């Protein structure tokens, strides 16, 4: 039976899963081969420098994914409360987004963070900044919108981390729903 041709982009979900489950340092070339079904030669064909190329590629994929998601927030379709509701709903229904959040968070906590500091800062700052723009469309000053957005992001990441430590996905979903309710009740109407 002929083997299907693998594209490099097709490897991202499996690499993401490995890095999220085992950390960057916990993943070996052998594990990548077992998970992807690729031989060592094919792995090095796609990632000549090995694991560092894999991490770079997943970081690039995370950036592209985030930009696609954030374009929904900034396309002027969703403003104020509706934008917040749509944004928070993304975290409830998009497990790939959460996997990237998990990966970037584990990267930020690893000794590899110094290599990726610029990309990590861009990832988190960009997310907070774009959410702040949506909030400011609801009539808030830039600084007030930034403060709200920053608190939302800290709540999301903190809730996700706590949910992981409890091994309870429902905790995260309940916290996001509660955060959405608090925000919708307290933000200006528009």
């Amino acid at each position: 039976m002929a083997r299907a041709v693998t594209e490099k982009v097709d490897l991202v979900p499996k690499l993401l899963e490995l890095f999220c489950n085992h950390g960057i340092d916990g993943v070996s070339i052998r594990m990548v081969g077992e998970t992807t079904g690729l031989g060592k030669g094919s792995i090095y064909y796609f990632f000549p420098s090995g694991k560092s190329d894999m991490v770079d590629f997943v970081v690039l994929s995370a950036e592209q994914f985030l930009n696609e998601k954030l374009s929904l927030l900034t396309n002027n379709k969703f403003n104020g409360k509706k934008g917040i509701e749509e944004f928070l709903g993304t975290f409830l229904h998009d497990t790939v987004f959460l996997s990237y959040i998990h990966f970037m968070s584990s990267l930020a906590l690893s000794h590899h963070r110094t290599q990726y500091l610029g990309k990590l800062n861009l990832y988190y700052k960009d997310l907070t900044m774009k959410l702040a723009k949506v909030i400011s469309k609801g009539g808030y000053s830039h600084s007030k919108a930034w403060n709200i957005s920053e608190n939302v992001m800290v709540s999301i990441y903190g809730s996700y981390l706590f949910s992981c430590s409890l091994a309870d996905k429902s905790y995260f979903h309940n916290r996001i729903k509660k955060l959405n309710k608090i925000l919708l009740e307290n933000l200006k109407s528009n």
Side-chain angles (χ1 to χ4, degrees), residues 7-21 23-24 27 32 35-36 43 46-47 50-68 95-108 116 119-120 123-124:
E7 298 289 329
K8 190 174 180 178
V9 72
D10 297 334
L11 300 173
V12 171
K14 292 177 181 183
L15 292 173
L16 193 54
E17 181 182 355
L18 279 171
F19 289 138
C20 287
N21 289 337
I24 292 165
V27 173
V32 172
T35 302
T36 62
I43 293 170
F46 286 121
F47 307 104
K51 194 164 35 173
S52 65
D53 281 352
M54 291 176 208
V55 173
D56 289 344
F57 193 66
V58 174
V59 168
L60 177 65
S61 297
E63 286 180 297
Q64 291 170 342
F65 185 86
L66 177 66
N67 285 330
E68 288 171 18
T95 56
V96 176
F97 200 175
L98 287 177
S99 294
Y100 279 122
I101 296 285
H102 186 118
F103 169 75
M104 294 301 277
S105 297
S106 63
L107 185 60
Y116 297 97
K119 294 199 179 278
L120 287 165
Y123 194 83
Y124 294 113

Side-chain angles (χ1 to χ4, degrees), residues 155-168:
S155 294
I156 289 168
Y157 288 105
S159 297
Y160 184 70
L161 180 63
F162 202 58
S163 176
C164 289
S165 71
L166 294 172
D168 181 4

